[in-house]
Amino acid sequence: MKIAIIPARGGSRRIPHKNIKMFSGKPMLAYAINVAKKSTIFDHIIVSTDDAEIASIARQWGASTPFVRPANLADDHASTVSAVAHAVAECLTLGWDIDFVCCVYPSVPLIQLDDISLALNLLKNH
């Protein structure tokens, strides 16, 4: 199984809720979700978040939010790696047999379909 994990925490000191700020008519998070969906690579597109509003918007755009990220993994000192590791652990508790995990950042409105497929090819080949 291949999963995409989009780590989108609610807190941001510089731009509050930046992951759901509107950019050219869509919330920032929507770009990452749309490209992951269009790639048809992933069995699941997961948004890892501590924020109910972000989770709701993620679901509106077609991602899953099967768990809530704990507060200690959503502060300014938490790393992306720790958030992704938590998400993988949560997915494993759901009984998923995961082969590949792709982290897609939430505030990437210029992400292209080729970015996803090329990244997966790099992962598979190296």
Side-chain angles (χ1 to χ4, degrees):
M1 173 182 305
K2 296 176 205 74
I3 63 172
I5 298 174
I6 303 171
R9 67 187 182 98
S12 176
R13 288 186 296 173
R14 291 176 291 192
I15 304 171
H17 279 102
K18 72 179 174 192
N19 297 319
I20 55 173
K21 290 284 187 202
M22 297 301 283
F23 182 85
S24 192
K26 296 183 208 171
M28 292 282 276
L29 179 64
Y31 293 92
I33 294 169
N34 282 344
V35 167
K37 285 175 25 182
K38 284 181 187 175
S39 76
T40 68
I41 291 171
F42 303 107
D43 300 294
H44 295 281
I45 301 165
I46 305 296
V47 171
S48 169
T49 188
D50 61 317
D51 187 277
E53 185 178 10
I54 291 173
S56 176
I57 290 170
R59 288 189 299 272
Q60 288 172 21
W61 286 90
S64 300
T65 57
F67 53 84
V68 176
R69 189 187 328 174
N72 68 312
L73 295 178
D75 64 16
D76 287 340
H77 304 291
S79 68
T80 300
V81 171
S82 63
V84 170
H86 170 264
V88 170
E90 289 291 321
C91 292
L92 291 173
T93 66
L94 297 172
W96 296 359
D97 183 21
I98 300 170
D99 298 308
F100 292 99
V101 176
C102 180
C103 174
V104 181
Y105 284 99
S107 52
V108 288
L110 302 179
I111 192 169
Q112 301 293 309
L113 192 55
D114 284 347
D115 297 330
I116 300 289
S117 56
L118 290 172
L120 182 60
N121 285 336
L122 280 172
L123 179 63
K124 285 181 176 179
N125 295 322
H126 299 286

